[in-house]
PDB file of all heavy atoms in Angstrom:
ATOM      1  N   SER Y   1      73.901  43.323 -29.036  1.00  0.00           N
ATOM      2  CA  SER Y   1      75.119  43.970 -29.514  1.00  0.00           C
ATOM      3  C   SER Y   1      76.064  44.178 -28.343  1.00  0.00           C
ATOM      4  O   SER Y   1      75.621  44.376 -27.205  1.00  0.00           O
ATOM      5  CB  SER Y   1      74.814  45.322 -30.160  1.00  0.00           C
ATOM      6  OG  SER Y   1      73.959  45.188 -31.259  1.00  0.00           O
ATOM      7  N   CYS Y   2      77.340  44.167 -28.624  1.00  0.00           N
ATOM      8  CA  CYS Y   2      78.349  44.418 -27.596  1.00  0.00           C
ATOM      9  C   CYS Y   2      79.491  45.184 -28.242  1.00  0.00           C
ATOM     10  O   CYS Y   2      80.186  44.663 -29.119  1.00  0.00           O
ATOM     11  CB  CYS Y   2      78.850  43.111 -27.008  1.00  0.00           C
ATOM     12  SG  CYS Y   2      80.192  43.306 -25.827  1.00  0.00           S
ATOM     13  N   ALA Y   3      79.682  46.419 -27.800  1.00  0.00           N
ATOM     14  CA  ALA Y   3      80.724  47.278 -28.351  1.00  0.00           C
ATOM     15  C   ALA Y   3      81.881  47.392 -27.369  1.00  0.00           C
ATOM     16  O   ALA Y   3      81.668  47.671 -26.181  1.00  0.00           O
ATOM     17  CB  ALA Y   3      80.161  48.658 -28.656  1.00  0.00           C
ATOM     18  N   ALA Y   4      83.080  47.176 -27.862  1.00  0.00           N
ATOM     19  CA  ALA Y   4      84.282  47.262 -27.046  1.00  0.00           C
ATOM     20  C   ALA Y   4      84.991  48.578 -27.300  1.00  0.00           C
ATOM     21  O   ALA Y   4      85.067  49.050 -28.437  1.00  0.00           O
ATOM     22  CB  ALA Y   4      85.218  46.091 -27.347  1.00  0.00           C
ATOM     23  N   SER Y   5      85.523  49.166 -26.246  1.00  0.00           N
ATOM     24  CA  SER Y   5      86.298  50.391 -26.376  1.00  0.00           C
ATOM     25  C   SER Y   5      87.545  50.279 -25.507  1.00  0.00           C
ATOM     26  O   SER Y   5      87.608  49.479 -24.588  1.00  0.00           O
ATOM     27  CB  SER Y   5      85.470  51.608 -25.968  1.00  0.00           C
ATOM     28  OG  SER Y   5      85.072  51.509 -24.613  1.00  0.00           O
ATOM     29  N   GLY Y   6      88.519  51.121 -25.794  1.00  0.00           N
ATOM     30  CA  GLY Y   6      89.784  51.055 -25.093  1.00  0.00           C
ATOM     31  C   GLY Y   6      90.864  50.571 -26.033  1.00  0.00           C
ATOM     32  O   GLY Y   6      90.682  50.523 -27.254  1.00  0.00           O
ATOM     33  N   ILE Y   7      91.988  50.205 -25.473  1.00  0.00           N
ATOM     34  CA  ILE Y   7      93.113  49.733 -26.281  1.00  0.00           C
ATOM     35  C   ILE Y   7      92.948  48.229 -26.491  1.00  0.00           C
ATOM     36  O   ILE Y   7      92.979  47.465 -25.530  1.00  0.00           O
ATOM     37  CB  ILE Y   7      94.453  50.046 -25.601  1.00  0.00           C
ATOM     38  CG1 ILE Y   7      94.594  51.563 -25.417  1.00  0.00           C
ATOM     39  CG2 ILE Y   7      95.603  49.488 -26.415  1.00  0.00           C
ATOM     40  CD1 ILE Y   7      95.816  51.960 -24.631  1.00  0.00           C
ATOM     41  N   ILE Y   8      92.754  47.851 -27.739  1.00  0.00           N
ATOM     42  CA  ILE Y   8      92.501  46.455 -28.064  1.00  0.00           C
ATOM     43  C   ILE Y   8      93.512  46.006 -29.099  1.00  0.00           C
ATOM     44  O   ILE Y   8      93.592  46.577 -30.178  1.00  0.00           O
ATOM     45  CB  ILE Y   8      91.076  46.263 -28.615  1.00  0.00           C
ATOM     46  CG1 ILE Y   8      90.045  46.791 -27.614  1.00  0.00           C
ATOM     47  CG2 ILE Y   8      90.811  44.791 -28.915  1.00  0.00           C
ATOM     48  CD1 ILE Y   8      88.642  46.862 -28.166  1.00  0.00           C
ATOM     49  N   PHE Y   9      94.265  44.993 -28.766  1.00  0.00           N
ATOM     50  CA  PHE Y   9      95.248  44.458 -29.692  1.00  0.00           C
ATOM     51  C   PHE Y   9      94.692  43.215 -30.363  1.00  0.00           C
ATOM     52  O   PHE Y   9      94.126  42.335 -29.724  1.00  0.00           O
ATOM     53  CB  PHE Y   9      96.553  44.134 -28.968  1.00  0.00           C
ATOM     54  CG  PHE Y   9      97.261  45.347 -28.437  1.00  0.00           C
ATOM     55  CD1 PHE Y   9      97.158  45.704 -27.109  1.00  0.00           C
ATOM     56  CD2 PHE Y   9      98.022  46.139 -29.284  1.00  0.00           C
ATOM     57  CE1 PHE Y   9      97.802  46.825 -26.613  1.00  0.00           C
ATOM     58  CE2 PHE Y   9      98.668  47.266 -28.801  1.00  0.00           C
ATOM     59  CZ  PHE Y   9      98.559  47.611 -27.468  1.00  0.00           C
ATOM     60  N   SER Y  10      94.858  43.163 -31.656  1.00  0.00           N
ATOM     61  CA  SER Y  10      94.426  42.007 -32.420  1.00  0.00           C
ATOM     62  C   SER Y  10      95.531  40.965 -32.432  1.00  0.00           C
ATOM     63  O   SER Y  10      96.709  41.301 -32.254  1.00  0.00           O
ATOM     64  CB  SER Y  10      94.105  42.438 -33.851  1.00  0.00           C
ATOM     65  OG  SER Y  10      93.043  43.347 -33.861  1.00  0.00           O
ATOM     66  N   PRO Y  11      95.182  39.698 -32.681  1.00  0.00           N
ATOM     67  CA  PRO Y  11      93.805  39.244 -32.860  1.00  0.00           C
ATOM     68  C   PRO Y  11      93.093  39.106 -31.524  1.00  0.00           C
ATOM     69  O   PRO Y  11      93.725  38.996 -30.481  1.00  0.00           O
ATOM     70  CB  PRO Y  11      93.998  37.877 -33.514  1.00  0.00           C
ATOM     71  CG  PRO Y  11      95.302  37.394 -32.960  1.00  0.00           C
ATOM     72  CD  PRO Y  11      96.156  38.622 -32.800  1.00  0.00           C
ATOM     73  N   TYR Y  12      91.805  39.171 -31.538  1.00  0.00           N
ATOM     74  CA  TYR Y  12      91.079  38.984 -30.301  1.00  0.00           C
ATOM     75  C   TYR Y  12      89.829  38.157 -30.543  1.00  0.00           C
ATOM     76  O   TYR Y  12      89.282  38.118 -31.629  1.00  0.00           O
ATOM     77  CB  TYR Y  12      90.698  40.330 -29.675  1.00  0.00           C
ATOM     78  CG  TYR Y  12      89.907  41.258 -30.562  1.00  0.00           C
ATOM     79  CD1 TYR Y  12      88.516  41.191 -30.601  1.00  0.00           C
ATOM     80  CD2 TYR Y  12      90.539  42.225 -31.339  1.00  0.00           C
ATOM     81  CE1 TYR Y  12      87.781  42.054 -31.405  1.00  0.00           C
ATOM     82  CE2 TYR Y  12      89.815  43.083 -32.144  1.00  0.00           C
ATOM     83  CZ  TYR Y  12      88.438  42.998 -32.161  1.00  0.00           C
ATOM     84  OH  TYR Y  12      87.721  43.852 -32.957  1.00  0.00           O
ATOM     85  N   VAL Y  13      89.415  37.519 -29.506  1.00  0.00           N
ATOM     86  CA  VAL Y  13      88.206  36.705 -29.520  1.00  0.00           C
ATOM     87  C   VAL Y  13      87.122  37.467 -28.768  1.00  0.00           C
ATOM     88  O   VAL Y  13      87.373  38.054 -27.714  1.00  0.00           O
ATOM     89  CB  VAL Y  13      88.439  35.333 -28.856  1.00  0.00           C
ATOM     90  CG1 VAL Y  13      87.141  34.541 -28.774  1.00  0.00           C
ATOM     91  CG2 VAL Y  13      89.509  34.555 -29.619  1.00  0.00           C
ATOM     92  N   MET Y  14      85.932  37.481 -29.321  1.00  0.00           N
ATOM     93  CA  MET Y  14      84.768  38.027 -28.629  1.00  0.00           C
ATOM     94  C   MET Y  14      83.688  36.974 -28.620  1.00  0.00           C
ATOM     95  O   MET Y  14      83.629  36.112 -29.510  1.00  0.00           O
ATOM     96  CB  MET Y  14      84.249  39.301 -29.300  1.00  0.00           C
ATOM     97  CG  MET Y  14      85.218  40.467 -29.211  1.00  0.00           C
ATOM     98  SD  MET Y  14      84.512  42.012 -29.843  1.00  0.00           S
ATOM     99  CE  MET Y  14      83.435  42.485 -28.470  1.00  0.00           C
ATOM    100  N   GLY Y  15      82.846  37.043 -27.636  1.00  0.00           N
ATOM    101  CA  GLY Y  15      81.779  36.047 -27.582  1.00  0.00           C
ATOM    102  C   GLY Y  15      80.770  36.354 -26.504  1.00  0.00           C
ATOM    103  O   GLY Y  15      80.774  37.433 -25.900  1.00  0.00           O
ATOM    104  N   TRP Y  16      79.921  35.373 -26.279  1.00  0.00           N
ATOM    105  CA  TRP Y  16      78.810  35.511 -25.338  1.00  0.00           C
ATOM    106  C   TRP Y  16      78.696  34.285 -24.446  1.00  0.00           C
ATOM    107  O   TRP Y  16      78.840  33.146 -24.904  1.00  0.00           O
ATOM    108  CB  TRP Y  16      77.490  35.676 -26.107  1.00  0.00           C
ATOM    109  CG  TRP Y  16      77.414  36.882 -26.959  1.00  0.00           C
ATOM    110  CD1 TRP Y  16      77.822  37.011 -28.254  1.00  0.00           C
ATOM    111  CD2 TRP Y  16      76.884  38.158 -26.584  1.00  0.00           C
ATOM    112  NE1 TRP Y  16      77.586  38.280 -28.707  1.00  0.00           N
ATOM    113  CE2 TRP Y  16      77.005  39.005 -27.705  1.00  0.00           C
ATOM    114  CE3 TRP Y  16      76.310  38.668 -25.422  1.00  0.00           C
ATOM    115  CZ2 TRP Y  16      76.574  40.335 -27.689  1.00  0.00           C
ATOM    116  CZ3 TRP Y  16      75.885  39.981 -25.402  1.00  0.00           C
ATOM    117  CH2 TRP Y  16      76.016  40.804 -26.515  1.00  0.00           C
ATOM    118  N   TYR Y  17      78.415  34.526 -23.188  1.00  0.00           N
ATOM    119  CA  TYR Y  17      77.999  33.516 -22.245  1.00  0.00           C
ATOM    120  C   TYR Y  17      76.623  33.944 -21.730  1.00  0.00           C
ATOM    121  O   TYR Y  17      76.196  35.082 -21.918  1.00  0.00           O
ATOM    122  CB  TYR Y  17      78.967  33.423 -21.061  1.00  0.00           C
ATOM    123  CG  TYR Y  17      80.173  32.552 -21.303  1.00  0.00           C
ATOM    124  CD1 TYR Y  17      81.216  32.995 -22.121  1.00  0.00           C
ATOM    125  CD2 TYR Y  17      80.288  31.297 -20.709  1.00  0.00           C
ATOM    126  CE1 TYR Y  17      82.331  32.199 -22.339  1.00  0.00           C
ATOM    127  CE2 TYR Y  17      81.409  30.496 -20.925  1.00  0.00           C
ATOM    128  CZ  TYR Y  17      82.423  30.963 -21.733  1.00  0.00           C
ATOM    129  OH  TYR Y  17      83.530  30.179 -21.944  1.00  0.00           O
ATOM    130  N   ARG Y  18      75.964  33.048 -21.053  1.00  0.00           N
ATOM    131  CA  ARG Y  18      74.717  33.392 -20.388  1.00  0.00           C
ATOM    132  C   ARG Y  18      74.629  32.672 -19.053  1.00  0.00           C
ATOM    133  O   ARG Y  18      75.260  31.639 -18.847  1.00  0.00           O
ATOM    134  CB  ARG Y  18      73.507  33.051 -21.269  1.00  0.00           C
ATOM    135  CG  ARG Y  18      73.277  31.566 -21.467  1.00  0.00           C
ATOM    136  CD  ARG Y  18      72.142  31.342 -22.455  1.00  0.00           C
ATOM    137  NE  ARG Y  18      71.848  29.918 -22.646  1.00  0.00           N
ATOM    138  CZ  ARG Y  18      70.981  29.441 -23.528  1.00  0.00           C
ATOM    139  NH1 ARG Y  18      70.315  30.271 -24.323  1.00  0.00           N
ATOM    140  NH2 ARG Y  18      70.784  28.145 -23.620  1.00  0.00           N
ATOM    141  N   GLN Y  19      73.827  33.244 -18.168  1.00  0.00           N
ATOM    142  CA  GLN Y  19      73.625  32.639 -16.857  1.00  0.00           C
ATOM    143  C   GLN Y  19      72.175  32.799 -16.452  1.00  0.00           C
ATOM    144  O   GLN Y  19      71.671  33.923 -16.336  1.00  0.00           O
ATOM    145  CB  GLN Y  19      74.549  33.262 -15.809  1.00  0.00           C
ATOM    146  CG  GLN Y  19      74.520  32.526 -14.487  1.00  0.00           C
ATOM    147  CD  GLN Y  19      75.670  32.913 -13.581  1.00  0.00           C
ATOM    148  OE1 GLN Y  19      76.298  33.956 -13.745  1.00  0.00           O
ATOM    149  NE2 GLN Y  19      75.979  32.046 -12.628  1.00  0.00           N
ATOM    150  N   ALA Y  20      71.520  31.660 -16.248  1.00  0.00           N
ATOM    151  CA  ALA Y  20      70.139  31.644 -15.784  1.00  0.00           C
ATOM    152  C   ALA Y  20      70.148  31.520 -14.269  1.00  0.00           C
ATOM    153  O   ALA Y  20      71.117  31.028 -13.679  1.00  0.00           O
ATOM    154  CB  ALA Y  20      69.386  30.486 -16.421  1.00  0.00           C
ATOM    155  N   PRO Y  21      69.066  31.942 -13.619  1.00  0.00           N
ATOM    156  CA  PRO Y  21      69.008  31.858 -12.151  1.00  0.00           C
ATOM    157  C   PRO Y  21      69.251  30.440 -11.656  1.00  0.00           C
ATOM    158  O   PRO Y  21      68.643  29.486 -12.151  1.00  0.00           O
ATOM    159  CB  PRO Y  21      67.586  32.316 -11.841  1.00  0.00           C
ATOM    160  CG  PRO Y  21      67.221  33.188 -12.976  1.00  0.00           C
ATOM    161  CD  PRO Y  21      67.884  32.581 -14.180  1.00  0.00           C
ATOM    162  N   GLY Y  22      70.165  30.296 -10.704  1.00  0.00           N
ATOM    163  CA  GLY Y  22      70.447  29.000 -10.127  1.00  0.00           C
ATOM    164  C   GLY Y  22      71.292  28.088 -10.975  1.00  0.00           C
ATOM    165  O   GLY Y  22      71.498  26.921 -10.612  1.00  0.00           O
ATOM    166  N   LYS Y  23      71.775  28.576 -12.105  1.00  0.00           N
ATOM    167  CA  LYS Y  23      72.583  27.751 -13.002  1.00  0.00           C
ATOM    168  C   LYS Y  23      73.958  28.363 -13.212  1.00  0.00           C
ATOM    169  O   LYS Y  23      74.171  29.556 -12.977  1.00  0.00           O
ATOM    170  CB  LYS Y  23      71.885  27.577 -14.346  1.00  0.00           C
ATOM    171  CG  LYS Y  23      70.577  26.812 -14.268  1.00  0.00           C
ATOM    172  CD  LYS Y  23      70.016  26.531 -15.648  1.00  0.00           C
ATOM    173  CE  LYS Y  23      68.753  25.695 -15.575  1.00  0.00           C
ATOM    174  NZ  LYS Y  23      68.220  25.401 -16.937  1.00  0.00           N
ATOM    175  N   GLN Y  24      74.877  27.520 -13.676  1.00  0.00           N
ATOM    176  CA  GLN Y  24      76.214  28.010 -13.974  1.00  0.00           C
ATOM    177  C   GLN Y  24      76.217  28.793 -15.284  1.00  0.00           C
ATOM    178  O   GLN Y  24      75.364  28.596 -16.153  1.00  0.00           O
ATOM    179  CB  GLN Y  24      77.188  26.829 -14.081  1.00  0.00           C
ATOM    180  CG  GLN Y  24      77.484  26.146 -12.756  1.00  0.00           C
ATOM    181  CD  GLN Y  24      78.575  25.095 -12.882  1.00  0.00           C
ATOM    182  OE1 GLN Y  24      78.727  24.478 -13.926  1.00  0.00           O
ATOM    183  NE2 GLN Y  24      79.342  24.915 -11.825  1.00  0.00           N
ATOM    184  N   ARG Y  25      77.198  29.667 -15.403  1.00  0.00           N
ATOM    185  CA  ARG Y  25      77.353  30.404 -16.650  1.00  0.00           C
ATOM    186  C   ARG Y  25      77.739  29.415 -17.753  1.00  0.00           C
ATOM    187  O   ARG Y  25      78.594  28.562 -17.555  1.00  0.00           O
ATOM    188  CB  ARG Y  25      78.438  31.472 -16.490  1.00  0.00           C
ATOM    189  CG  ARG Y  25      78.521  32.457 -17.633  1.00  0.00           C
ATOM    190  CD  ARG Y  25      79.467  33.605 -17.306  1.00  0.00           C
ATOM    191  NE  ARG Y  25      78.932  34.458 -16.252  1.00  0.00           N
ATOM    192  CZ  ARG Y  25      79.438  35.663 -15.956  1.00  0.00           C
ATOM    193  NH1 ARG Y  25      80.481  36.117 -16.630  1.00  0.00           N
ATOM    194  NH2 ARG Y  25      78.919  36.384 -14.985  1.00  0.00           N
ATOM    195  N   GLU Y  26      77.100  29.532 -18.905  1.00  0.00           N
ATOM    196  CA  GLU Y  26      77.372  28.611 -20.000  1.00  0.00           C
ATOM    197  C   GLU Y  26      77.724  29.363 -21.272  1.00  0.00           C
ATOM    198  O   GLU Y  26      77.252  30.487 -21.519  1.00  0.00           O
ATOM    199  CB  GLU Y  26      76.178  27.686 -20.267  1.00  0.00           C
ATOM    200  CG  GLU Y  26      74.938  28.373 -20.791  1.00  0.00           C
ATOM    201  CD  GLU Y  26      73.886  27.392 -21.312  1.00  0.00           C
ATOM    202  OE1 GLU Y  26      74.248  26.269 -21.734  1.00  0.00           O
ATOM    203  OE2 GLU Y  26      72.704  27.777 -21.325  1.00  0.00           O
TER     204      GLU Y  26
END
């Protein structure tokens, strides 16, 4: 889960990346 707070104007995109040791963020 990922909860956003603060002033957020729509529309907005949310998503996920990941990074394994020694690898680029994907």
Side-chain angles (χ1 to χ4, degrees):
S1 300
C2 175
S5 61
I7 300 174
I8 304 170
F9 294 100
S10 297
Y12 56 88
V13 175
M14 294 187 77
W16 298 88
Y17 276 74
R18 69 185 182 186
Q19 189 165 19
K23 295 187 177 181
Q24 290 187 329
R25 190 171 292 193
E26 67 168 334

